[in-house]
């Protein structure tokens, strides 16, 4: 009978479907495998007892249901799991077991169909009786004797006489149920019963330690008790000596099955002279004739007995200290494992952050800021790089006088705007917000221009206040034929030479005009400005020619 059975797997699957993780863990801890419950399942159930949202009655009922199984392995492991939770789980679990009217009713359990079924069924019946007695003890005194505080200021050492006389018999009954397990070394032949025996061994050490401290307190108070109390105390002490002998035999079995000898305490019995002194004191209280014992001799005997029992109690504490140390080591190992797991998660997150998608996101964030209101950079065929200073631009624009649609369209494209560009080439991002282009590109992009220039009789040079930057862009003046622009010669426009109506866009002629206009601008501006403005006002809306676009800076 090894490995999980099909029934175990089906039951676990059913609990998985229903979503009951606690029931699934109970099923996993009580499988048909010939071994004790696995630690991971027990730890999970212990954690469940500490969770406030876990239904403790449902957990206990699930364990009780597993004891109704016909296999001794399942039933034994259910008892072991229950005992483990009573020892290491939250106190709520044992409180619920103590509140129940009935716990395990396995007095008639017998597995006839499995190997070792008869032998193991006997130990199952004994084991279940001990667990019932353990829960009953908690119901009577509302405390687990294996977990109570020990020492000089412990619970049993500071308990009053009346309560002490009622508590010690309860400890005796629980210890009797434990020692009744009575397993021989040749009967501990499998992992299931060995696990149960180990839990019983730990309970016996702690339970007898509490019992021993109660007896020490009892002896210290004995010679001050009343007659009835002394009689009860003497009976308790006699039973204590008998259980000490029986416990020593139990510990010998534990030593033979491989439990570390350092974990087994040394039982030191009180001298027999103490028993005689106790009996003589009770007889004296009853009025019987006894051998008189001096007070000093009685005190010496009592001191010796208390000292020997205290030594026994100290030997019981070694196992608790070792178990605490082991628990601390396990906790440190668990914390170390969690730390390593966290470091792995951090490393995985760092590697995930270095993925291509993340890197692309990072490149976008670290790149230069994109100006949404700036046009993209020019291509190799676009204009040369210019300064971004608005006042450094030299708008040597020459207005056209042709009224053809081609010239009008060219003029519109030349003026441009924030959403348009000339020649199909976007403006570079270093130009100003008006998206104006140099004269060279504007002239090249105008299809309707001729190579001739205007022959105007009245030319005004509007001198700009910006210094020239280069030979190609050295002119700071604008040459305008006001008669042609404002329609003064429109009546004779048909008889003129066609070349008189077209501006010469060549740079060389513009440079020559810049030189001549620089000399004439002072006088002509004062002479003809008034008449030019008058013609502008008079012909603004009534000119004979179509409206012309006046380009300015």
């Amino acid at each position: 009978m090894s490995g999980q059975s099909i029934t175990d797997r089906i039951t676990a699957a059913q609990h998985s479907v229903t979503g009951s993780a606690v029931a699934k863990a109970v099923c996993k801890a009580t499988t048909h495998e010939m071994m004790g419950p696995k630690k991971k399942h027990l730890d999970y159930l212990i954690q469940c007892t500490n969770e406030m949202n876990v239904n403790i009655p449902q957990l206990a009922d699930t364990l009780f249901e597993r004891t109704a199984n016909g296999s001794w392995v399942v039933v034994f492991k259910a008892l072991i799991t229950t005992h483990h939770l009573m020892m290491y789980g939250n106190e709520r679990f044992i409180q619920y077991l103590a509140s129940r009217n009935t716990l395990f009713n396995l007095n008639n359990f017998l597995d006839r169909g499995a190997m070792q079924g008869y032998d193991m069924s006997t130990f199952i019946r004994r084991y279940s009786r001990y667990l019932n007695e353990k829960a009953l003890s908690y119901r009577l005194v509302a405390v687990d004797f294996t977990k109570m505080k020990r020492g000089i200021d412990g619970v049993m050492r500071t308990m009053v006489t009346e309560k002490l006389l009622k508590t010690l018999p309860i400890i005796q009954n629980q210890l009797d149920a434990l020692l009744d397990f009575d397993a021989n070394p040749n009967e501990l032949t499998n992992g299931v019963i060995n696990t149960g025996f180990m839990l019983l061994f730990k309970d016996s050490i702690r339970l007898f330690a509490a019992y021993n401290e109660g007896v020490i307190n009892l002896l210290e108070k004995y010679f001050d008790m009343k007659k009835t109390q002394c009689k009860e105390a003497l009976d308790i002490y006699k039973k204590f000596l008998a259980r000490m002998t029986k416990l020593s035999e139990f510990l010998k079995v534990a030593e033979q099955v491989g439990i570390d000898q350092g974990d087994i305490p040394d039982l030191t019995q009180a001298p027999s002279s103490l028993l005689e002194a106790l009996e003589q004191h009770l007889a004296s209280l009853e009025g019987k004739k006894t051998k008189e014992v001096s007070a000093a001799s009685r005190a010496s005997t009592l001191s010796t007995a208390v000292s020997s029992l205290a030594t026994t109690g100290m030997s019981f504490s070694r196992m608790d200290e070792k178990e605490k140390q082991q628990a601390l080591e396990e906790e440190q190992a668990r914390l170390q494992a969690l730390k390593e797991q966290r470091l792995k998660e951090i490393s995985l997150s760092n590697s995930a952050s270095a993925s291509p998608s993340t890197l692309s996101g990072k490149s976008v964030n670290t790149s230069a800021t994109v100006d949404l209101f700036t046009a993209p950079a020019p291509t190799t065929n676009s204009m040369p790089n210019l300064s971004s200073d608005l006042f450094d631009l030299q708008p040597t624009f020459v207005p056209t006088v042709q009224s053809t649609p081609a010239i009008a369209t060219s003029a519109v494209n030349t003026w441009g705007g924030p959403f348009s560009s000339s020649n199909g080439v976007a403006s570079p991002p270093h130009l100003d917000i008006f998206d104006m282009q140099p004269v060279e590109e504007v002239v090249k992009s105008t299809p309707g221009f001729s190579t001739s220039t205007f022959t105007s009789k009245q030319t005004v040079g509007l001198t700009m206040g910006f210094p020239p930057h280069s030979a190609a862009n050295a002119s700071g003046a604008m040459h305008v034929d006001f008669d042609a622009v404002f329609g003064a010669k429109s009546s004779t426009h048909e008889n003129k030479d066609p070349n008189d109506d077209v501006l010469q866009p060549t740079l060389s002629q513009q440079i020559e005009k810049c030189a001549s206009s620089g000399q004439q601008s002072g006088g002509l501006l004062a002479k003809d400005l008034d008449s030019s403005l008058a013609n502008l006002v008079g012909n603004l809306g009534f000119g004979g020619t179509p409206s012309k676009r006046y380009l300015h800076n």
Side-chain angles (χ1 to χ4, degrees):
M1 188 182 299
S2 62
Q4 296 185 18
S5 64
I6 299 178
T7 305
D8 296 332
R9 299 180 185 276
I10 293 175
T11 306
Q14 289 175 349
H15 292 310
S16 298
V17 171
T18 58
S20 178
V22 175
K24 181 179 179 180
V26 171
C27 179
K28 290 287 188 180
T30 58
T31 59
H32 288 79
E33 294 178 279
M34 189 73 73
M35 58 182 295
K38 294 182 179 179
K39 186 177 183 301
K40 61 179 181 179
H41 302 313
L42 295 177
D43 291 343
Y44 177 80
L45 293 175
I46 290 174
Q47 182 63 29
C48 290
T49 62
N50 294 320
E51 298 293 337
M52 299 304 297
N53 59 343
V54 173
N55 192 336
I56 297 297
Q58 182 180 0
L59 170 59
D61 292 340
T62 306
L63 289 169
F64 295 148
E65 291 175 1
R66 297 297 287 174
T67 59
N69 195 285
S71 172
W72 72 266
V73 179
V74 176
V75 177
F76 214 146
K77 293 173 75 171
L79 295 176
I80 292 172
T81 304
T82 304
H83 190 188
H84 193 88
L85 295 180
M86 294 173 75
M87 292 177 61
Y88 302 107
N90 192 281
E91 196 172 1
R92 296 189 303 150
F93 184 77
I94 192 172
Q95 285 176 352
Y96 173 74
L97 296 182
S99 66
R100 289 177 60 99
N101 294 327
T102 59
L103 292 181
F104 301 105
N105 187 13
L106 300 173
N107 293 329
N108 299 321
F109 178 80
L110 181 61
D111 185 3
R112 298 184 177 89
M115 185 181 300
Q116 298 180 321
Y118 282 92
D119 297 335
M120 294 299 108
S121 297
T122 302
F123 293 109
I124 286 174
R125 293 192 295 268
R126 296 173 182 175
Y127 197 12
S128 64
R129 282 197 294 268
Y130 169 71
L131 295 180
N132 290 340
E133 192 66 33
K134 184 179 177 70
L136 178 62
S137 299
Y138 190 91
R139 183 192 300 180
L140 295 175
V141 298
V143 66
D144 187 354
F145 295 117
T146 63
K147 297 180 180 180
M148 64 171 40
K149 182 181 179 180
R150 295 195 295 271
I152 297 177
D153 57 345
V155 177
M156 299 303 297
R157 291 292 296 270
T158 58
M159 191 175 290
V160 296
T161 303
E162 291 77 7
K163 190 175 181 179
L164 182 64
L165 292 174
K166 294 179 180 179
T167 304
L168 287 175
I170 298 174
I171 299 179
Q172 287 178 349
N173 293 334
Q174 183 176 343
L175 184 62
D176 289 341
L178 188 150
L179 297 177
D180 285 342
F181 191 76
D182 195 19
N184 297 322
N186 56 356
E187 293 173 328
L188 304 177
T189 56
N190 58 74
V192 179
I193 190 173
N194 289 343
T195 304
F197 182 81
M198 189 63 187
L199 295 178
L200 291 173
F201 168 76
K202 293 180 178 180
D203 261 11
S204 67
I205 299 299
R206 298 186 177 98
L207 186 61
F208 193 82
Y211 191 18
N212 185 71
E213 290 187 353
V215 171
I216 292 175
N217 188 17
L218 182 70
L219 294 176
E220 291 175 345
K221 291 180 168 63
Y222 181 81
F223 296 100
D224 297 329
M225 292 180 183
K226 299 177 182 179
K227 182 177 66 174
T228 56
Q229 292 176 341
C230 286
K231 189 175 182 179
E232 292 179 9
L234 181 60
D235 183 63
I236 291 173
Y237 181 70
K238 290 180 179 179
K239 291 180 179 179
F240 171 78
L241 295 177
R243 282 154 183 80
M244 181 179 287
T245 302
K246 196 172 182 180
L247 178 64
S248 62
E249 296 176 356
F250 181 85
L251 297 179
K252 288 180 181 179
V253 176
E255 185 179 356
Q256 292 177 6
V257 296
I259 295 178
D260 190 2
Q261 190 173 2
D263 296 336
I264 300 175
D266 298 327
L267 299 180
T268 305
Q269 293 186 353
S272 59
S273 59
L274 176 63
L275 181 59
E276 296 177 359
L278 297 176
E279 291 176 346
Q280 289 178 2
H281 178 71
L282 178 60
S284 65
L285 292 177
E286 292 177 348
K288 297 179 181 180
K289 292 182 179 181
T290 59
K291 182 181 178 180
E292 294 183 1
V293 180
S294 62
S297 176
R298 186 176 58 187
S300 176
T301 302
L302 179 61
S303 176
T304 303
V306 170
S307 177
S308 61
L309 294 178
T311 303
T312 302
M314 293 183 63
S315 65
F316 282 118
S317 62
R318 289 183 306 184
M319 191 196 69
D320 288 341
E321 293 177 356
K322 184 176 181 180
E323 188 167 339
K324 289 180 181 178
Q325 183 65 27
Q326 183 179 359
L328 289 176
E329 292 176 357
E330 292 178 356
E331 186 67 20
Q332 290 178 356
R334 188 180 297 108
L335 291 176
Q336 183 65 23
L338 292 175
K339 182 178 179 181
E340 293 177 357
Q341 182 180 0
R342 180 58 181 167
L343 292 176
K344 290 181 180 179
E345 292 177 355
I346 294 175
S347 62
L348 290 176
S349 62
N350 292 336
S351 61
S353 63
S355 61
S357 58
T358 310
L359 288 176
S360 63
K362 288 185 177 181
S363 63
V364 172
N365 294 332
T366 57
S367 62
T369 303
V370 179
D371 190 356
L372 299 178
F373 301 97
T374 304
T379 59
T380 55
N381 297 329
S382 61
M383 55 188 300
N385 193 6
L386 300 177
S387 174
S388 59
D389 190 356
L390 177 64
F391 300 100
D392 290 342
L393 294 176
Q394 302 300 322
T396 317
F397 295 101
V398 181
T400 61
V401 297
Q402 291 184 0
S403 60
T404 59
I407 297 177
T409 303
S410 176
V412 172
N413 292 337
T414 302
W415 182 260
F419 301 103
S420 62
S421 59
S422 301
N423 302 328
V425 179
S427 301
H430 51 265
L431 285 181
D432 61 352
I433 59 175
F434 296 103
D435 199 17
M436 294 185 297
Q437 296 191 4
V439 177
E440 294 88 344
E441 294 296 331
V442 174
V443 173
K444 292 179 182 179
S445 62
T446 305
F449 286 155
S450 175
T451 57
S452 60
T453 59
F454 283 113
T455 56
S456 176
K457 296 180 180 180
Q458 298 178 354
T459 303
V460 179
L462 300 178
T463 305
M464 307 300 292
F466 311 108
H469 294 280
S470 61
N473 195 17
S475 177
M478 180 180 293
H479 309 283
V480 181
D481 188 349
F482 282 93
D483 294 336
V485 171
F486 298 106
K489 297 181 181 181
S490 59
S491 58
T492 59
H493 182 68
E494 294 80 1
N495 299 326
K496 292 175 57 178
D497 185 71
N499 293 333
D500 293 339
D501 295 334
V502 181
L503 175 66
Q504 174 60 36
T506 57
L507 294 177
S508 58
Q509 296 179 359
Q510 291 179 7
I511 295 174
E512 294 176 358
K513 288 186 177 182
C514 289
S516 61
S517 62
Q519 300 174 358
Q520 301 175 2
S521 57
L524 294 178
L525 181 59
K527 180 179 180 180
D528 296 336
L529 182 57
D530 293 339
S531 61
S532 298
L533 292 177
N535 291 333
L536 173 63
V537 173
N539 298 302
L540 184 61
F542 305 98
T545 60
S547 61
K548 308 300 188 295
R549 181 174 298 274
Y550 179 65
L551 303 179
H552 60 83
N553 191 8

